[in-house]
Amino acid sequence: MHLNPAGRCPNNRGQLYLNAATAAHYQFALELYLSTMRPYTQELMVWDEAKQRASFAALWKLPEVRIVAVNGREVGWLQVQESPREVHLLQFFIAPDQQGNGIGTEVLRGLLAAWRATAKPVVLTVLKNNPARRLYERLGFSVVGDSGVKYAMKLNT
């Protein structure tokens, strides 16, 4: 499946949309980031809440963020940075109670279809113990680097 120009991605679970984020989404995205990443990060290193919040604030760039919504309910978000050389999926989060329902797969398949038109490689990093790595591998990403606690992954489109 792919996204239409309005950001809609039809599916059998209802209406899946990628909406432009607003400043009001900051707290939603921050809380989802913290609650999702804390368990994986704590397995690999010391979790420093203040440092995580500061890092999030520094990296949050509103024009790069899209909110994932299903049937009007916000269930996730992503942040993408495109350069002349590559597309960088900086962040991608689906609420834990919505994981395993194919939402992440469907969103990424739609985005990858659009990104293929750019002929740019798509890159991302993922914590080594994050199960999202399996999703990325199923969609064709390969590990191209190792920074200790994270893998760098790449998909040539």
Side-chain angles (χ1 to χ4, degrees), residues 57-151:
L59 296 174
W60 172 268
K61 304 237 182 326
L62 193 57
E64 300 172 350
V65 178
R66 297 292 175 267
I67 302 299
V68 179
V70 176
N71 293 328
R73 178 177 171 225
E74 294 171 347
V75 298
W77 67 279
L78 58 92
Q79 184 172 351
V80 177
Q81 192 175 76
E82 189 170 344
S83 74
R85 291 185 16 239
E86 65 188 14
V87 176
H88 190 170
L89 180 60
L90 295 168
Q91 308 280 353
F92 184 44
F93 298 96
I94 300 296
D97 68 332
Q98 297 296 308
Q99 293 175 8
N101 294 326
I103 296 168
T105 299
E106 196 161 341
V107 168
L108 281 179
R109 279 188 179 146
L111 289 170
L112 290 172
W115 293 335
R116 278 189 186 91
T118 72
K120 297 175 186 177
V122 181
V123 298
L124 59 86
T125 60
V126 63
L127 286 174
K128 289 181 174 181
N129 61 341
N130 189 332
R133 177 180 165 208
R134 292 190 302 271
L135 166 63
Y136 302 138
E137 289 173 335
R138 277 197 317 272
L139 294 174
F141 285 84
S142 300
V143 172
V144 294
D146 181 334
S147 66
V149 297
K150 288 184 177 182
Y151 288 122

